[in-house]
Amino acid sequence: MSKKLGQTDSRVLLVTGGAGFIGSNFITYILQKHPEDTIINLDVLTYAGNLENLKGVEGDPRYTFIKGDIRDRDMVRGLFKTYPITHVVNFAAESHVDRSIVDPDIFLTTNIIGTEVLLDEAKRAWKIYPEDKYSKEYKEGVRFHQVSTDEVYGALGKEGLFVESMPLLPNSPYSASKASADLIVRSYQKTFGLPVTVSRCSNNYGAYQFPEKLIPLMINNCINDRSLPVYGDGMQIRDWLHVIDHCSAIDAILEKGETGDIYNIGGNNEKANIEIVKLIIKTLGKSEELITYVKDRPGHDRRYAIDNTKITSQLGWKPTYTFEQGMKETIQWYLDNQKWIERVVSGDYQGYYERMYC
Ligand code: NAD
Ligand code: TYD
Protein backbone atom coordinates (compact mmCIF):
# COMPACT_ATOMS: atom_id res chain seq x y z
CA MET A 1 0.00 0.00 0.00
CA SER A 2 1.40 3.40 -0.93
CA LYS A 3 2.11 5.84 1.89
CA LYS A 4 -0.37 8.71 2.24
CA LEU A 5 0.92 12.26 1.98
CA GLY A 6 2.23 13.49 5.33
CA GLN A 7 2.21 9.97 6.81
CA THR A 8 5.44 9.04 8.55
CA ASP A 9 6.65 5.58 9.52
CA SER A 10 7.84 6.69 12.93
CA ARG A 11 5.44 7.47 15.73
CA VAL A 12 6.02 9.87 18.59
CA LEU A 13 3.95 8.70 21.55
CA LEU A 14 3.07 10.95 24.45
CA VAL A 15 2.53 8.37 27.20
CA THR A 16 1.03 9.90 30.33
CA GLY A 17 1.36 8.19 33.70
CA GLY A 18 4.25 6.19 32.27
CA ALA A 19 5.97 5.81 35.66
CA GLY A 20 3.02 3.86 37.06
CA PHE A 21 2.44 0.12 36.97
CA ILE A 22 0.85 -0.35 33.54
CA GLY A 23 2.41 2.71 31.90
CA SER A 24 5.97 1.61 32.71
CA ASN A 25 5.33 -1.90 31.41
CA PHE A 26 3.81 -0.35 28.26
CA ILE A 27 6.81 1.92 27.58
CA THR A 28 9.24 -0.98 27.91
CA TYR A 29 7.02 -3.16 25.71
CA ILE A 30 6.66 -0.56 22.94
CA LEU A 31 10.35 0.36 22.83
CA GLN A 32 11.23 -3.32 22.47
CA LYS A 33 8.57 -4.10 19.89
CA HIS A 34 8.75 -0.94 17.75
CA PRO A 35 12.36 0.21 17.18
CA GLU A 36 11.14 3.17 15.10
CA ASP A 37 8.98 4.67 17.88
CA THR A 38 9.90 7.56 20.17
CA ILE A 39 8.26 7.97 23.59
CA ILE A 40 7.74 11.03 25.76
CA ASN A 41 6.73 9.93 29.26
CA LEU A 42 4.76 12.66 31.07
CA ASP A 43 4.27 11.85 34.73
CA VAL A 44 3.86 14.04 37.80
CA LEU A 45 5.21 11.26 40.06
CA THR A 46 2.50 10.86 42.67
CA TYR A 47 3.01 8.18 45.33
CA ALA A 48 2.26 5.64 42.53
CA GLY A 49 4.83 6.91 40.04
CA ASN A 50 8.17 5.15 40.30
CA LEU A 51 10.95 5.90 37.82
CA GLU A 52 12.87 2.86 39.03
CA ASN A 53 10.36 0.85 36.97
CA LEU A 54 11.98 2.36 33.87
CA LYS A 55 15.66 1.83 34.69
CA GLY A 56 15.90 -0.51 31.70
CA VAL A 57 15.04 2.20 29.16
CA GLU A 58 16.54 5.27 30.88
CA GLY A 59 19.52 5.41 28.52
CA ASP A 60 17.52 4.75 25.36
CA PRO A 61 17.76 7.81 23.07
CA ARG A 62 14.16 7.16 21.94
CA TYR A 63 12.88 7.74 25.48
CA THR A 64 12.39 11.09 27.29
CA PHE A 65 10.97 11.65 30.75
CA ILE A 66 9.12 14.88 31.58
CA LYS A 67 7.97 15.55 35.14
CA GLY A 68 4.65 17.33 34.84
CA ASP A 69 0.94 17.31 35.55
CA ILE A 70 -1.64 16.50 32.86
CA ARG A 71 -3.82 19.25 34.39
CA ASP A 72 -1.16 21.87 33.53
CA ARG A 73 -2.50 23.22 30.23
CA ASP A 74 0.45 25.50 29.41
CA MET A 75 2.95 22.74 29.97
CA VAL A 76 0.95 20.24 27.87
CA ARG A 77 0.65 22.83 25.08
CA GLY A 78 4.40 23.35 25.24
CA LEU A 79 4.99 19.62 24.81
CA PHE A 80 2.91 19.55 21.64
CA LYS A 81 4.96 22.50 20.34
CA THR A 82 8.31 20.95 21.25
CA TYR A 83 7.75 17.39 20.08
CA PRO A 84 6.09 16.12 16.87
CA ILE A 85 3.62 14.02 18.89
CA THR A 86 1.51 11.67 16.75
CA HIS A 87 -0.19 9.64 19.51
CA VAL A 88 -1.37 10.20 23.07
CA VAL A 89 -1.83 7.16 25.30
CA ASN A 90 -3.41 8.38 28.52
CA PHE A 91 -2.65 6.16 31.50
CA ALA A 92 -2.26 9.02 33.99
CA ALA A 93 -4.83 8.66 36.74
CA GLU A 94 -5.54 8.21 40.38
CA SER A 95 -6.23 4.50 40.20
CA HIS A 96 -7.04 3.07 43.62
CA VAL A 97 -10.71 2.58 44.62
CA ASP A 98 -9.98 2.60 48.37
CA ARG A 99 -8.22 5.97 48.12
CA SER A 100 -11.14 7.39 46.13
CA ILE A 101 -13.46 6.49 49.00
CA VAL A 102 -11.27 8.36 51.49
CA ASP A 103 -10.43 11.39 49.31
CA PRO A 104 -12.39 11.68 46.04
CA ASP A 105 -11.40 15.25 45.02
CA ILE A 106 -8.12 14.47 43.32
CA PHE A 107 -9.79 11.65 41.35
CA LEU A 108 -12.09 14.20 39.76
CA THR A 109 -9.41 16.74 38.88
CA THR A 110 -6.80 14.28 37.60
CA ASN A 111 -9.03 11.75 35.89
CA ILE A 112 -11.58 14.14 34.39
CA ILE A 113 -10.00 17.60 34.05
CA GLY A 114 -6.59 16.12 33.20
CA THR A 115 -8.10 14.05 30.38
CA GLU A 116 -9.96 17.09 29.03
CA VAL A 117 -6.73 19.14 28.99
CA LEU A 118 -4.95 16.42 27.01
CA LEU A 119 -7.83 16.08 24.54
CA ASP A 120 -8.07 19.80 24.03
CA GLU A 121 -4.37 20.31 23.48
CA ALA A 122 -4.20 17.31 21.13
CA LYS A 123 -7.10 18.82 19.16
CA ARG A 124 -5.36 22.19 18.98
CA ALA A 125 -2.04 20.69 17.87
CA TRP A 126 -3.42 18.15 15.40
CA LYS A 127 -6.16 20.14 13.68
CA ILE A 128 -5.20 21.24 10.18
CA TYR A 129 -7.42 24.35 10.46
CA PRO A 130 -7.38 25.07 14.22
CA GLU A 131 -9.31 28.33 13.94
CA ASP A 132 -12.24 26.71 12.08
CA LYS A 133 -14.63 25.25 14.68
CA TYR A 134 -16.48 23.26 11.99
CA SER A 135 -13.40 21.60 10.52
CA LYS A 136 -12.81 17.97 11.38
CA GLU A 137 -9.59 17.57 9.41
CA TYR A 138 -6.62 16.33 11.37
CA LYS A 139 -3.01 15.54 10.54
CA GLU A 140 -2.60 12.10 9.00
CA GLY A 141 -2.14 9.17 11.38
CA VAL A 142 -2.72 10.93 14.71
CA ARG A 143 -4.61 9.15 17.52
CA PHE A 144 -5.69 9.77 21.12
CA HIS A 145 -6.08 6.59 23.14
CA GLN A 146 -7.83 6.65 26.51
CA VAL A 147 -6.98 3.83 28.93
CA SER A 148 -10.20 3.16 30.82
CA THR A 149 -11.51 0.39 33.02
CA ASP A 150 -14.28 -2.21 33.10
CA GLU A 151 -15.34 -0.64 36.43
CA VAL A 152 -17.23 2.03 34.46
CA TYR A 153 -19.93 -0.60 33.76
CA GLY A 154 -20.61 -1.10 37.47
CA ALA A 155 -21.08 -4.55 38.99
CA LEU A 156 -22.42 -7.79 37.52
CA GLY A 157 -24.60 -10.37 39.22
CA LYS A 158 -23.76 -14.07 39.07
CA GLU A 159 -24.36 -14.25 35.31
CA GLY A 160 -23.39 -12.17 32.28
CA LEU A 161 -20.38 -10.33 30.93
CA PHE A 162 -19.53 -6.69 30.23
CA VAL A 163 -19.97 -5.73 26.58
CA GLU A 164 -18.97 -2.40 25.05
CA SER A 165 -22.57 -1.30 24.41
CA MET A 166 -23.62 -1.53 28.06
CA PRO A 167 -24.65 1.62 29.93
CA LEU A 168 -22.14 3.17 32.30
CA LEU A 169 -23.17 2.57 35.92
CA PRO A 170 -20.05 3.28 38.00
CA ASN A 171 -20.29 2.78 41.76
CA SER A 172 -17.12 4.27 43.28
CA PRO A 173 -15.71 7.79 42.99
CA TYR A 174 -12.81 6.22 41.07
CA SER A 175 -14.99 4.47 38.49
CA ALA A 176 -17.31 7.48 38.24
CA SER A 177 -14.32 9.68 37.40
CA LYS A 178 -13.14 7.20 34.74
CA ALA A 179 -16.66 6.97 33.27
CA SER A 180 -16.80 10.78 33.13
CA ALA A 181 -13.48 10.84 31.28
CA ASP A 182 -14.82 8.26 28.78
CA LEU A 183 -17.78 10.54 28.06
CA ILE A 184 -15.53 13.56 27.54
CA VAL A 185 -13.43 11.50 25.12
CA ARG A 186 -16.61 10.51 23.27
CA SER A 187 -17.69 14.15 23.03
CA TYR A 188 -14.36 15.16 21.45
CA GLN A 189 -14.89 12.51 18.79
CA LYS A 190 -18.54 13.36 18.12
CA THR A 191 -18.23 17.16 18.24
CA PHE A 192 -14.72 17.80 16.94
CA GLY A 193 -13.98 14.59 15.00
CA LEU A 194 -10.83 13.97 17.06
CA PRO A 195 -9.46 10.50 16.20
CA VAL A 196 -9.89 8.65 19.50
CA THR A 197 -10.11 5.10 20.81
CA VAL A 198 -10.95 3.84 24.30
CA SER A 199 -10.04 0.56 25.98
CA ARG A 200 -11.75 -0.82 29.07
CA CYS A 201 -9.80 -3.56 30.71
CA SER A 202 -10.20 -5.80 33.70
CA ASN A 203 -7.93 -5.96 36.76
CA ASN A 204 -4.25 -6.17 35.83
CA TYR A 205 -1.48 -7.99 37.64
CA GLY A 206 2.25 -8.48 37.04
CA ALA A 207 5.63 -6.88 37.77
CA TYR A 208 5.95 -3.35 39.22
CA GLN A 209 2.42 -3.10 40.64
CA PHE A 210 2.21 -0.81 43.67
CA PRO A 211 1.60 -2.94 46.78
CA GLU A 212 -1.72 -1.33 47.66
CA LYS A 213 -3.62 -3.46 45.11
CA LEU A 214 -4.82 -6.95 45.98
CA ILE A 215 -2.18 -9.20 44.40
CA PRO A 216 1.08 -7.36 45.27
CA LEU A 217 -0.24 -6.48 48.73
CA MET A 218 -1.03 -10.11 49.49
CA ILE A 219 2.27 -11.37 48.06
CA ASN A 220 4.29 -8.85 50.06
CA ASN A 221 2.40 -9.47 53.31
CA CYS A 222 2.62 -13.21 52.83
CA ILE A 223 6.38 -13.14 52.19
CA ASN A 224 6.76 -11.16 55.43
CA ASP A 225 4.32 -13.33 57.45
CA ARG A 226 1.92 -10.40 57.92
CA SER A 227 -1.83 -10.84 58.07
CA LEU A 228 -3.75 -10.93 54.77
CA PRO A 229 -6.74 -8.53 54.95
CA VAL A 230 -9.64 -9.98 52.95
CA TYR A 231 -12.60 -7.61 52.56
CA GLY A 232 -16.04 -8.99 53.50
CA ASP A 233 -16.50 -12.66 52.59
CA GLY A 234 -13.73 -12.66 49.97
CA MET A 235 -16.15 -13.94 47.31
CA GLN A 236 -15.98 -10.86 45.09
CA ILE A 237 -14.93 -11.80 41.57
CA ARG A 238 -12.46 -10.03 39.29
CA ASP A 239 -11.41 -11.05 35.75
CA TRP A 240 -7.59 -10.95 35.85
CA LEU A 241 -5.41 -9.81 32.97
CA HIS A 242 -1.62 -10.03 32.85
CA VAL A 243 -0.16 -6.55 32.33
CA ILE A 244 1.83 -7.65 29.26
CA ASP A 245 -1.40 -8.86 27.63
CA HIS A 246 -2.86 -5.43 28.36
CA CYS A 247 0.14 -3.78 26.65
CA SER A 248 -0.20 -5.94 23.55
CA ALA A 249 -3.92 -5.17 23.38
CA ILE A 250 -3.32 -1.40 23.45
CA ASP A 251 -0.61 -1.87 20.83
CA ALA A 252 -3.14 -3.68 18.61
CA ILE A 253 -5.74 -0.92 19.13
CA LEU A 254 -3.22 1.80 18.23
CA GLU A 255 -2.33 -0.06 15.05
CA LYS A 256 -5.69 -1.44 13.94
CA GLY A 257 -8.45 0.03 16.09
CA GLU A 258 -11.32 1.92 14.47
CA THR A 259 -11.52 5.61 15.26
CA GLY A 260 -14.29 6.29 17.78
CA ASP A 261 -14.44 2.68 18.94
CA ILE A 262 -14.34 1.21 22.43
CA TYR A 263 -12.61 -2.12 23.08
CA ASN A 264 -13.01 -4.31 26.15
CA ILE A 265 -9.82 -6.14 27.17
CA GLY A 266 -10.00 -9.16 29.43
CA GLY A 267 -8.06 -12.32 30.11
CA ASN A 268 -10.97 -14.76 30.68
CA ASN A 269 -9.76 -15.38 34.24
CA GLU A 270 -12.61 -14.93 36.68
CA LYS A 271 -11.41 -15.61 40.21
CA ALA A 272 -12.80 -14.93 43.67
CA ASN A 273 -10.44 -12.86 45.83
CA ILE A 274 -10.15 -15.60 48.43
CA GLU A 275 -9.04 -18.12 45.76
CA ILE A 276 -6.18 -15.79 44.83
CA VAL A 277 -5.14 -15.26 48.42
CA LYS A 278 -5.09 -19.04 48.98
CA LEU A 279 -3.08 -19.55 45.78
CA ILE A 280 -0.45 -17.03 46.97
CA ILE A 281 -0.26 -18.71 50.40
CA LYS A 282 0.16 -22.14 48.81
CA THR A 283 2.80 -20.99 46.32
CA LEU A 284 4.83 -19.34 49.08
CA GLY A 285 4.40 -22.33 51.43
CA LYS A 286 2.72 -20.29 54.19
CA SER A 287 -0.26 -20.90 56.47
CA GLU A 288 -3.90 -19.98 55.81
CA GLU A 289 -3.94 -18.69 59.39
CA LEU A 290 -2.52 -15.47 57.94
CA ILE A 291 -5.96 -14.74 56.39
CA THR A 292 -7.89 -12.06 58.30
CA TYR A 293 -11.41 -11.18 57.23
CA VAL A 294 -11.89 -7.42 57.65
CA LYS A 295 -14.82 -5.03 57.26
CA ASP A 296 -16.03 -4.83 53.66
CA ARG A 297 -15.28 -1.90 51.33
CA PRO A 298 -18.29 0.47 51.07
CA GLY A 299 -20.10 0.04 47.74
CA HIS A 300 -17.94 -3.00 46.96
CA ASP A 301 -18.63 -4.26 43.41
CA ARG A 302 -19.43 -7.95 43.57
CA ARG A 303 -18.33 -9.20 40.18
CA TYR A 304 -16.52 -7.98 37.05
CA ALA A 305 -16.20 -10.14 33.92
CA ILE A 306 -15.27 -9.10 30.40
CA ASP A 307 -16.58 -10.22 27.04
CA ASN A 308 -13.53 -9.69 24.82
CA THR A 309 -15.16 -10.92 21.58
CA LYS A 310 -14.82 -7.55 19.84
CA ILE A 311 -11.06 -7.15 20.23
CA THR A 312 -10.32 -10.81 19.56
CA SER A 313 -12.49 -11.07 16.46
CA GLN A 314 -11.90 -7.61 14.96
CA LEU A 315 -8.26 -6.96 15.83
CA GLY A 316 -6.95 -10.52 16.18
CA TRP A 317 -5.65 -9.88 19.70
CA LYS A 318 -5.73 -12.61 22.32
CA PRO A 319 -4.30 -12.97 25.83
CA THR A 320 -1.18 -15.14 25.99
CA TYR A 321 -0.89 -15.74 29.75
CA THR A 322 -2.79 -18.38 31.64
CA PHE A 323 -3.58 -17.16 35.16
CA GLU A 324 -1.52 -20.00 36.66
CA GLN A 325 1.62 -19.13 34.65
CA GLY A 326 1.14 -15.38 35.13
CA MET A 327 0.77 -15.74 38.89
CA LYS A 328 3.76 -18.07 39.15
CA GLU A 329 5.96 -15.53 37.33
CA THR A 330 4.52 -12.59 39.29
CA ILE A 331 5.12 -14.19 42.69
CA GLN A 332 8.66 -15.08 41.57
CA TRP A 333 9.20 -11.47 40.41
CA TYR A 334 8.27 -10.10 43.83
CA LEU A 335 10.56 -12.67 45.49
CA ASP A 336 13.41 -11.65 43.18
CA ASN A 337 12.78 -7.93 43.64
CA GLN A 338 12.57 -7.56 47.39
CA LYS A 339 14.73 -4.42 47.24
CA TRP A 340 12.21 -2.77 44.85
CA ILE A 341 9.32 -3.50 47.16
CA GLU A 342 11.27 -2.44 50.28
CA ARG A 343 12.00 0.93 48.67
CA VAL A 344 8.36 1.32 47.66
CA VAL A 345 7.04 0.44 51.11
CA SER A 346 9.59 2.69 52.87
CA GLY A 347 8.97 5.59 50.45
CA ASP A 348 12.66 5.63 49.45
CA TYR A 349 11.82 5.26 45.73
CA GLN A 350 10.46 8.82 45.76
CA GLY A 351 14.01 10.19 46.03
CA TYR A 352 14.96 8.50 42.74
CA TYR A 353 13.89 11.47 40.63
CA GLU A 354 16.09 13.89 42.60
CA ARG A 355 19.02 11.47 42.49
CA MET A 356 18.72 10.89 38.74
CA TYR A 357 17.39 14.13 37.28
CA CYS A 358 18.18 17.05 39.56
P1 NAD B 1 -0.87 3.62 38.80
O1 NAD B 1 -1.60 4.25 39.93
O2 NAD B 1 0.13 2.56 39.06
O3 NAD B 1 -0.11 4.76 37.96
C1 NAD B 1 -0.68 6.00 37.66
C2 NAD B 1 0.43 6.92 37.17
O4 NAD B 1 -0.16 8.18 36.82
C3 NAD B 1 1.50 7.22 38.24
O5 NAD B 1 2.77 7.08 37.67
C4 NAD B 1 1.21 8.64 38.64
O6 NAD B 1 2.36 9.35 39.07
C5 NAD B 1 0.65 9.21 37.35
N1 NAD B 1 -0.20 10.40 37.57
C6 NAD B 1 -1.20 10.52 38.48
N2 NAD B 1 -1.72 11.77 38.40
C7 NAD B 1 -1.06 12.41 37.40
C8 NAD B 1 -1.16 13.71 36.84
N3 NAD B 1 -2.05 14.60 37.29
N4 NAD B 1 -0.32 14.05 35.84
C9 NAD B 1 0.60 13.17 35.37
N5 NAD B 1 0.74 11.92 35.87
C10 NAD B 1 -0.09 11.54 36.88
O7 NAD B 1 -2.00 3.14 37.82
P2 NAD B 1 -2.03 1.85 36.86
O8 NAD B 1 -2.49 0.69 37.64
O9 NAD B 1 -0.75 1.77 36.11
O10 NAD B 1 -3.22 2.27 35.89
C11 NAD B 1 -2.96 3.01 34.69
C12 NAD B 1 -4.27 3.30 33.99
O11 NAD B 1 -4.96 2.09 33.73
C13 NAD B 1 -5.22 4.17 34.83
O12 NAD B 1 -5.83 5.10 33.98
C14 NAD B 1 -6.23 3.18 35.37
O13 NAD B 1 -7.49 3.80 35.58
C15 NAD B 1 -6.28 2.15 34.25
N6 NAD B 1 -6.64 0.79 34.68
C16 NAD B 1 -5.89 0.14 35.62
C17 NAD B 1 -6.22 -1.17 35.99
C18 NAD B 1 -5.41 -1.95 36.99
O14 NAD B 1 -5.76 -3.09 37.29
N7 NAD B 1 -4.31 -1.42 37.51
C19 NAD B 1 -7.34 -1.79 35.41
C20 NAD B 1 -8.08 -1.08 34.46
C21 NAD B 1 -7.71 0.20 34.10
P1 TYD C 1 -8.03 -3.88 44.05
O1 TYD C 1 -6.73 -4.52 43.73
O2 TYD C 1 -8.03 -2.69 44.94
O3 TYD C 1 -8.73 -3.57 42.65
P2 TYD C 1 -10.26 -3.09 42.34
O4 TYD C 1 -10.86 -2.58 43.57
O5 TYD C 1 -10.02 -2.00 41.33
O6 TYD C 1 -10.94 -4.28 41.76
O7 TYD C 1 -8.98 -4.97 44.70
C1 TYD C 1 -9.28 -6.18 44.05
C2 TYD C 1 -10.26 -6.93 44.91
O8 TYD C 1 -9.62 -7.32 46.13
C3 TYD C 1 -11.45 -6.09 45.33
O9 TYD C 1 -12.61 -6.94 45.36
C4 TYD C 1 -11.12 -5.65 46.73
C5 TYD C 1 -10.29 -6.80 47.27
N1 TYD C 1 -9.26 -6.46 48.27
C6 TYD C 1 -9.20 -7.14 49.49
O10 TYD C 1 -10.03 -8.02 49.78
N2 TYD C 1 -8.22 -6.80 50.37
C7 TYD C 1 -7.31 -5.83 50.12
O11 TYD C 1 -6.44 -5.54 50.98
C8 TYD C 1 -7.36 -5.16 48.86
C9 TYD C 1 -6.37 -4.08 48.51
C10 TYD C 1 -8.35 -5.52 47.95
Coordinates of all heavy atoms in Angstrom, one line a residue, residues 96-98 151 174 203 212-215 217-218 229-231 236 238 240 273 297 300-301 304, ligand 2:
H96 N -6.7 4.0 42.6 CA -7.0 3.1 43.6 C -8.4 3.4 44.3 O -8.6 4.4 44.8 CB -5.9 3.1 44.7 CG -6.1 2.0 45.7 ND1 -6.5 0.7 45.3 CD2 -5.8 1.9 47.0 CE1 -6.6 -0.1 46.4 NE2 -6.1 0.6 47.4
V97 N -9.3 2.4 44.1 CA -10.7 2.6 44.6 C -10.7 3.0 46.1 O -11.4 3.9 46.5 CB -11.5 1.3 44.4 CG1 -12.9 1.4 45.0 CG2 -11.6 0.9 42.9
D98 N -9.9 2.3 46.9 CA -10.0 2.6 48.4 C -9.6 4.0 48.7 O -10.2 4.7 49.5 CB -9.0 1.7 49.1 CG -9.6 0.2 49.2 OD1 -10.8 0.1 49.2 OD2 -8.8 -0.7 49.1
E151 N -14.6 -1.1 35.3 CA -15.3 -0.6 36.4 C -16.4 0.4 36.1 O -17.3 0.7 36.8 CB -14.4 -0.1 37.5 CG -13.4 -1.2 37.9 CD -12.6 -0.9 39.2 OE1 -13.1 -0.2 40.1 OE2 -11.5 -1.5 39.3
Y174 N -13.8 6.5 42.1 CA -12.8 6.2 41.1 C -13.5 5.9 39.7 O -13.2 6.5 38.7 CB -11.9 5.0 41.5 CG -11.2 4.4 40.4 CD1 -10.2 5.1 39.7 CD2 -11.5 3.1 40.0 CE1 -9.5 4.5 38.6 CE2 -10.8 2.5 38.9 CZ -9.8 3.2 38.2 OH -9.2 2.6 37.2
N203 N -9.0 -6.1 35.8 CA -7.9 -6.0 36.8 C -6.6 -6.5 36.2 O -6.6 -7.7 35.8 CB -8.2 -6.7 38.1 CG -9.3 -6.0 38.9 OD1 -10.4 -5.8 38.4 ND2 -9.0 -5.6 40.1
E212 N -0.5 -1.7 47.0 CA -1.7 -1.3 47.7 C -2.9 -2.1 47.0 O -4.0 -2.2 47.5 CB -2.0 0.2 47.5 CG -2.2 0.6 46.1 CD -2.4 2.1 45.9 OE1 -2.5 2.8 46.9 OE2 -2.5 2.5 44.7
K213 N -2.6 -2.7 45.8 CA -3.6 -3.5 45.1 C -3.6 -4.9 45.6 O -2.5 -5.4 46.1 CB -3.4 -3.4 43.6 CG -3.3 -1.9 43.1 CD -4.7 -1.4 42.8 CE -4.7 0.1 42.5 NZ -4.0 0.6 41.3
L214 N -4.7 -5.6 45.4 CA -4.8 -7.0 46.0 C -3.6 -7.9 45.8 O -3.0 -8.3 46.8 CB -6.1 -7.7 45.4 CG -6.3 -9.1 46.0 CD1 -6.9 -9.0 47.4 CD2 -7.2 -9.9 45.1
I215 N -3.2 -8.1 44.6 CA -2.2 -9.2 44.4 C -0.8 -8.8 45.0 O -0.3 -9.6 45.8 CB -2.1 -9.6 42.9 CG1 -3.4 -10.4 42.6 CG2 -0.9 -10.5 42.6 CD1 -3.6 -11.0 41.2
L217 N -0.1 -6.7 47.3 CA -0.2 -6.5 48.7 C -0.2 -7.8 49.4 O 0.5 -8.0 50.4 CB -1.5 -5.7 49.1 CG -1.8 -5.4 50.5 CD1 -2.4 -4.0 50.7 CD2 -2.7 -6.4 51.2
M218 N -1.0 -8.8 48.9 CA -1.0 -10.1 49.5 C 0.3 -10.8 49.4 O 0.8 -11.5 50.3 CB -2.2 -11.0 48.9 CG -3.5 -10.4 49.1 SD -4.0 -10.4 50.9 CE -5.5 -9.5 50.8
P229 N -5.4 -9.1 54.7 CA -6.7 -8.5 55.0 C -7.7 -8.8 53.8 O -7.6 -8.1 52.8 CB -6.4 -7.0 55.1 CG -5.2 -6.8 54.3 CD -4.4 -8.1 54.3
V230 N -8.6 -9.7 54.0 CA -9.6 -10.0 52.9 C -10.9 -9.2 53.3 O -11.5 -9.4 54.4 CB -9.9 -11.5 52.9 CG1 -11.1 -11.8 51.9 CG2 -8.6 -12.2 52.5
Y231 N -11.4 -8.4 52.3 CA -12.6 -7.6 52.6 C -13.8 -8.5 52.5 O -14.0 -9.3 51.6 CB -12.8 -6.5 51.5 CG -11.7 -5.5 51.4 CD1 -11.6 -4.7 50.3 CD2 -10.7 -5.3 52.4 CE1 -10.6 -3.7 50.2 CE2 -9.7 -4.4 52.3 CZ -9.6 -3.6 51.2 OH -8.7 -2.6 51.1
Q236 N -15.9 -11.8 46.2 CA -16.0 -10.9 45.1 C -15.1 -11.4 43.9 O -14.0 -11.9 44.2 CB -15.5 -9.4 45.5 CG -16.2 -8.8 46.6 CD -15.7 -9.3 48.0 OE1 -14.7 -10.0 48.1 NE2 -16.4 -8.9 49.0
R238 N -13.1 -10.9 40.3 CA -12.5 -10.0 39.3 C -12.0 -10.9 38.1 O -11.7 -12.1 38.3 CB -11.3 -9.3 39.9 CG -11.6 -8.4 41.1 CD -12.4 -7.2 40.6 NE -12.8 -6.3 41.7 CZ -14.0 -6.2 42.3 NH1 -14.9 -7.2 42.0 NH2 -14.3 -5.3 43.2
W240 N -9.0 -11.4 35.8 CA -7.6 -11.0 35.8 C -6.9 -11.0 34.5 O -7.0 -12.0 33.7 CB -6.8 -11.7 36.9 CG -7.3 -11.4 38.3 CD1 -8.3 -12.1 38.9 CD2 -7.0 -10.3 39.1 NE1 -8.6 -11.4 40.1 CE2 -7.8 -10.4 40.3 CE3 -6.1 -9.3 39.0 CZ2 -7.7 -9.4 41.3 CZ3 -5.9 -8.3 40.0 CH2 -6.8 -8.4 41.1
N273 N -11.6 -13.4 45.1 CA -10.4 -12.9 45.8 C -9.8 -13.9 46.8 O -8.6 -14.1 46.8 CB -10.8 -11.6 46.7 CG -11.2 -10.5 45.8 OD1 -10.9 -10.4 44.6 ND2 -12.0 -9.5 46.4
R297 N -15.4 -3.2 52.0 CA -15.3 -1.9 51.3 C -16.7 -1.4 51.1 O -17.5 -2.1 50.6 CB -14.5 -2.1 50.0 CG -14.5 -0.9 49.1 CD -13.9 -1.3 47.7 NE -12.5 -1.4 47.7 CZ -11.8 -1.8 46.6 NH1 -12.4 -2.2 45.5 NH2 -10.5 -1.8 46.7
H300 N -18.8 -2.0 47.6 CA -17.9 -3.0 47.0 C -18.6 -3.7 45.8 O -19.6 -4.4 46.0 CB -17.5 -4.0 48.0 CG -16.3 -4.8 47.7 ND1 -15.6 -5.5 48.6 CD2 -15.6 -4.9 46.5 CE1 -14.6 -6.1 48.0 NE2 -14.5 -5.7 46.7
D301 N -18.1 -3.6 44.6 CA -18.6 -4.3 43.4 C -18.4 -5.8 43.6 O -17.3 -6.2 43.8 CB -17.9 -3.8 42.1 CG -18.4 -2.4 41.7 OD1 -19.5 -1.9 42.2 OD2 -17.6 -1.7 41.0
Y304 N -16.9 -8.5 38.4 CA -16.5 -8.0 37.0 C -16.2 -9.2 36.1 O -15.4 -10.1 36.6 CB -15.3 -7.1 37.1 CG -15.3 -5.9 38.0 CD1 -14.1 -5.5 38.7 CD2 -16.4 -5.1 38.3 CE1 -14.1 -4.4 39.5 CE2 -16.4 -4.0 39.1 CZ -15.2 -3.7 39.7 OH -15.2 -2.6 40.5
Ligands
TYD2 P1 -8.0 -3.9 44.1 O1 -6.7 -4.5 43.7 O2 -8.0 -2.7 44.9 O3 -8.7 -3.6 42.7 P2 -10.3 -3.1 42.3 O4 -10.9 -2.6 43.6 O5 -10.0 -2.0 41.3 O6 -10.9 -4.3 41.8 O7 -9.0 -5.0 44.7 C1 -9.3 -6.2 44.1 C2 -10.3 -6.9 44.9 O8 -9.6 -7.3 46.1 C3 -11.5 -6.1 45.3 O9 -12.6 -6.9 45.4 C4 -11.1 -5.6 46.7 C5 -10.3 -6.8 47.3 N1 -9.3 -6.5 48.3 C6 -9.2 -7.1 49.5 O10 -10.0 -8.0 49.8 N2 -8.2 -6.8 50.4 C7 -7.3 -5.8 50.1 O11 -6.4 -5.5 51.0 C8 -7.4 -5.2 48.9 C9 -6.4 -4.1 48.5 C10 -8.4 -5.5 48.0

